[in-house]
Amino acid sequence: MKSVLFVCLGNICRSPAAEGAFLNLLYQENRAHEFKVDSAGTTGHHRGEKADSRMIERAEARGIILPSIARQFEEQDFEHYDFIICMDKNNLANVKKMDSHNQFAHKIFLMSDFIKNQKKQDIPDPYYGNVKDFDLVLDLVQEGAQGLLEFIDNKLKKNE
Ligand code: 4NP
């Protein structure tokens, strides 16, 4: 079983969208049984909440269900997940800071690493934005989900 954890700040907008997009892709390819997928926030302010209703609505408009209930990223996640995918450079820095002995650097990535022409870019925070900003997040995480799945498949093929 491979495992992927998507991380953003609040765990109500971007990482739930990324989790939903990745799950959607796995369902389409009949590969959901191969993966454990979750999302988390570097803060716990929204702990226990469903994804933002605007993100749920825009995702559903393209057939993507967001199952996320917000939780905070915790140190044990480094052990429990193979791929930790951060939505922006702040999230990345905060996650790396929690890896105090730098043991898990090989597991930590930026979502944009898997999106063409977006290397090192942030998935923009839509929280104070409008419908277009939520749709842009979905465009980006859907492309990222595809790139990530290819990356994981290639990486595991090499290790065979
Ligand atoms: P997310 O978006 O990190 O994509 O979940 C945000 C959600 C909530 C807040 C900021 C960003 N907030 O300030 O409450």
Side-chain angles (χ1 to χ4, degrees):
M1 178 78 85
K2 301 169 276 272
S3 53
V4 181
L5 180 66
F6 296 97
V7 178
C8 64
L9 178 67
N11 192 211
I12 53 170
C13 296
R14 292 165 295 173
S15 59
E19 175 190 6
F22 192 69
L23 284 170
N24 188 252
L25 178 62
L26 294 176
Y27 294 139
Q28 282 173 351
E29 302 204 352
N30 282 321
R31 297 184 57 187
H33 58 282
E34 294 177 29
F35 285 86
K36 174 172 86 169
V37 183
D38 196 11
S39 63
T42 57
T43 65
H45 301 313
H46 295 276
R47 186 178 285 116
E49 294 177 23
K50 286 193 204 169
D52 187 297
S53 57
R54 298 165 296 175
M55 190 54 98
I56 289 180
E57 191 212 301
R58 296 318 298 156
E60 280 183 5
R62 46 180 97 186
I64 297 173
I65 303 297
L66 305 187
S68 172
I69 300 292
R71 71 168 179 90
Q72 189 165 14
F73 180 83
E74 52 190 21
E75 236 175 282
Q76 296 96 293
D77 288 319
F78 288 124
E79 305 272 2
H80 295 160
Y81 289 87
D82 306 321
F83 300 93
I84 297 169
I85 314 295
C86 301
M87 295 300 119
D88 70 28
K89 292 189 280 291
N90 277 325
N91 313 145
L92 184 81
N94 287 323
V95 165
K96 284 191 167 171
K97 227 181 283 169
M98 286 177 69
D99 177 18
S100 43
H101 300 288
N102 203 27
Q103 298 171 71
F104 302 108
H106 60 286
K107 295 187 171 189
I108 309 171
F109 300 89
L110 203 51
M111 186 61 158
S112 61
D113 291 345
F114 308 106
I115 308 175
K116 274 186 211 86
N117 306 320
Q118 290 281 328
K119 301 275 178 293
K120 301 279 166 269
Q121 300 302 303
D122 293 337
I123 305 297
D125 183 351
Y127 192 64
Y128 294 104
N130 57 32
V131 171
K132 262 207 251 162
D133 301 296
F134 284 86
D135 284 336
L136 172 63
V137 169
L138 287 160
D139 290 343
L140 290 169
V141 298
Q142 282 200 274
E143 194 181 336
Q146 192 92 46
L148 173 62
L149 186 58
E150 284 164 23
F151 172 82
I152 293 173
D153 286 343
N154 285 334
K155 193 174 160 79
L156 298 180
K157 223 183 285 166
K158 267 185 220 151
N159 294 344
E160 264 170 17

